[in-house]
Amino acid sequence: MQFFQISGFDREKEILINSVKSNHVSHAQLFFGMEGSPNLILVLAFVSYLNCEKKTDKDSCGKCSSCMKINKMIHPDVHYIFPVAPTTKINKNVISDYFIKEWREFILKDPYQNINDWFNYYGFENKSPNISKDESRSIIKKLSLKPFESKYKIVLIWLPEYLHIYTSNALLKILEDPPSDTFFFLVTNESKKLLKTILSRVQIFKIRRFFDQEIKNELLKEEKIQEKELKKILLTCDGNLNQAKKIINSSEDDFLFVFKNWMRNCYTNDFSKIQSDLEWFNGQSRVNKKAFFLYSLNLFRESFIQNINSDLSKIVDDELEFIEKFSKSLNQNISEKIILEINESIRFLDRNANPKIIFLDLSLELVNMFNQVKQIA
């Protein structure tokens, strides 16, 4: 992995590169970015740069022995820890080493994937992700050995929010006082789930979401996508590259058409048609359910912006024409409440709540809010 492979994020790259140049790389760093951000691939590029034998001012060479091995994720001094679960074949001492071949293939295929993608890829079924207490013993054992090839030993922990409480506590001392030339890089999507004692021992490096143009650049590396389709993806991915990739070719449904009908039905209190909207929603894939909610959220945000300053609006064409009319039927207070309700619905959907109940509850909330608007008018 190399920095040039990531669109944008020049400031983040510069900070990481300068830390190596000035010999100020923190021994324990937490790379926090929301799902679909480049936190993992940035760390992998950082690891390459740190170990590169012929690094330049801006990137690793990608050709030396160290780079070649790190690119294949087979460098003997870089250790990967990640959530797993017991299987019928592996139900004792369940540690990352026993699943490394499959996880390596999974990440090399696409480093922007999430924990659900990983568990589906391996086939862990409905088991809970966990970095077990056995993992702490494995880490300590690995770090007791001298480096095989490079100057540094590196432990990369993907999604430490799944650390078993015993493992978290066992790592505290080694995070605070690691062996010489040893680095811990923790890559998380949910830093709030980590113990405060862990957070106090790491340097937190926050990584933003992708900007729209960066999402475009990444998608166009692999796909030929029409501008209209790109616009739909940008309205439904919310800066999440993993989500954007899943949306491509996942549905032929016109979200704007569905959204217009849903809003009209909620505004007129037509519950029989809301039931039809519910059936449509329930028939969508998990990816499309979230995509439709994100699309709806962005249209409400744009309605809110339209009422404040139309020059700040980012949408064009059919969506803009609809938003200009739709925004007139809303006030600022109701728009804010609706945005919060949709955000809550997305959060519940991410936590595997019943999608029919989520959509129905949201629809009823919209009915109530639109009724409030009509009473004020």
Side-chain angles (χ1 to χ4, degrees):
M1 305 292 178
Q2 293 177 270
F3 287 120
F4 84 89
Q5 295 173 302
I6 308 162
S7 298
F9 295 88
D10 293 338
R11 175 180 169 275
E12 289 81 358
K13 295 172 187 176
E14 184 179 359
I15 291 171
L16 294 173
I17 289 169
N18 286 341
S19 71
V20 177
K21 289 179 180 178
S22 61
N23 198 29
H24 283 136
V25 179
S26 175
H27 68 269
Q29 295 189 60
L30 178 73
F31 292 80
F32 168 54
M34 302 301 288
E35 180 199 326
S37 71
N39 54 355
L40 177 58
I41 193 170
L42 266 174
V43 174
L44 293 172
F46 184 39
V47 170
S48 291
Y49 190 79
L50 187 61
N51 283 287
C52 182
E53 298 163 9
K54 300 178 182 179
K55 60 176 68 72
T56 67
D57 285 342
K58 294 186 177 180
D59 215 334
S60 55
C61 71
K63 298 177 181 179
C64 68
S65 174
S66 175
C67 284
M68 296 287 282
K69 289 177 182 177
I70 290 172
N71 286 345
K72 295 178 181 178
M73 301 178 77
I74 57 172
H75 196 291
D77 297 315
V78 182
H79 307 287
Y80 302 99
I81 310 298
F82 46 88
V84 294
T87 67
T88 53
K89 292 183 179 179
I90 306 170
N91 51 32
K92 291 182 180 179
N93 195 28
V94 183
I95 60 175
S96 305
D97 286 352
Y98 295 129
F99 304 89
I100 187 64
K101 178 178 179 292
E102 291 80 7
W103 187 77
R104 186 187 294 127
E105 293 169 351
F106 167 77
I107 294 298
L108 289 175
K109 182 180 179 182
D110 186 351
Y112 296 98
Q113 299 181 89
N114 61 25
I115 187 64
N116 291 328
D117 298 326
W118 162 230
F119 266 50
N120 288 332
Y121 181 86
Y122 189 86
F124 285 113
E125 299 174 348
N126 295 320
K127 294 174 182 174
S128 299
N130 183 36
I131 299 177
S132 72
K133 60 183 180 181
D134 297 314
E135 200 78 68
S136 60
R137 290 191 289 269
S138 175
I139 293 171
I140 292 168
K141 182 180 178 181
K142 289 171 182 174
L143 296 184
S144 67
L145 304 173
K146 292 182 179 180
F148 288 92
E149 295 180 9
S150 65
K151 178 183 177 182
Y152 306 113
K153 289 177 289 185
I154 296 171
V155 178
L156 192 160
I157 305 178
W158 183 60
L159 305 184
E161 51 265 41
Y162 293 101
L163 281 165
H164 187 280
I165 185 67
Y166 177 92
T167 315
S168 293
N169 288 324
L171 288 176
L172 292 178
K173 187 176 186 304
I174 199 167
L175 279 175
E176 189 169 10
D177 186 23
S180 61
D181 295 324
T182 298
F183 297 107
F184 281 88
F185 299 144
L186 286 65
V187 182
T188 182
N189 297 145
E190 299 183 86
S191 59
K192 290 181 180 179
K193 289 187 176 181
L194 292 171
L195 293 179
K196 289 182 179 179
T197 46
I198 291 280
L199 293 174
S200 68
R201 286 164 170 79
V202 297
Q203 182 183 81
I204 299 177
F205 190 86
K206 292 185 179 180
I207 299 168
R208 60 172 173 80
R209 295 176 184 268
F210 278 97
F211 294 145
D212 284 356
Q213 187 58 51
E214 292 163 349
I215 291 274
K216 279 186 181 182
N217 294 341
E218 289 292 331
L219 294 179
L220 291 173
K221 286 179 184 178
E222 304 173 11
E223 305 275 350
K224 289 185 178 179
I225 309 171
Q226 294 182 350
E227 188 63 32
K228 184 177 180 180
E229 183 68 13
L230 267 174
K231 185 180 69 173
K232 169 190 167 184
I233 291 168
L234 294 175
L235 279 170
T236 54
C237 71
D238 198 28
N240 180 334
L241 183 55
N242 187 35
Q243 177 78 5
K245 290 181 177 183
K246 289 177 179 177
I247 292 168
I248 295 174
N249 300 323
S250 63
S251 173
E252 297 299 324
D253 287 303
D254 184 343
F255 280 180
L256 179 59
F257 176 78
V258 176
F259 180 81
K260 284 180 180 179
N261 286 336
W262 183 36
M263 292 302 101
R264 187 181 300 113
N265 298 335
C266 290
Y267 193 85
T268 58
N269 298 354
D270 194 331
F271 293 102
S272 63
K273 290 185 179 178
I274 290 174
Q275 179 64 33
S276 298
D277 297 329
L278 173 60
E279 295 303 322
W280 172 86
F281 181 80
N282 198 52
Q284 298 299 302
S285 67
R286 178 184 174 84
V287 170
N288 268 359
K289 287 185 177 79
K290 183 173 181 179
F292 180 69
F293 273 161
L294 287 169
Y295 180 84
S296 303
L297 178 65
N298 277 310
L299 288 189
F300 272 108
R301 283 174 178 165
E302 292 297 328
S303 297
F304 183 79
I305 292 168
Q306 192 75 24
N307 280 327
I308 298 173
N309 186 348
S310 59
D311 292 336
L312 298 176
S313 181
K314 296 189 297 182
I315 56 174
V316 294
D317 301 333
D318 296 342
E319 275 87 0
L320 179 59
E321 182 182 349
F322 170 71
I323 285 301
E324 286 176 341
K325 297 176 182 177
F326 184 57
S327 61
K328 295 175 183 177
S329 64
L330 300 171
N331 60 46
Q332 184 172 330
N333 184 44
I334 293 297
S335 294
E336 288 178 353
K337 288 181 178 179
I338 291 174
I339 288 169
L340 289 174
E341 287 293 335
I342 298 177
N343 264 320
E344 276 291 280
S345 297
I346 293 170
R347 187 173 68 85
F348 289 137
L349 194 65
D350 282 340
R351 283 155 178 76
N352 297 317
N354 188 310
K356 290 187 74 171
I357 293 175
I358 296 172
F359 187 87
L360 180 58
D361 183 67
L362 177 58
S363 299
L364 294 176
E365 288 292 338
L366 289 172
V367 168
N368 290 332
M369 291 182 198
F370 286 147
N371 285 339
Q372 292 176 38
V373 172
K374 287 186 281 187
Q375 288 174 5
I376 295 170

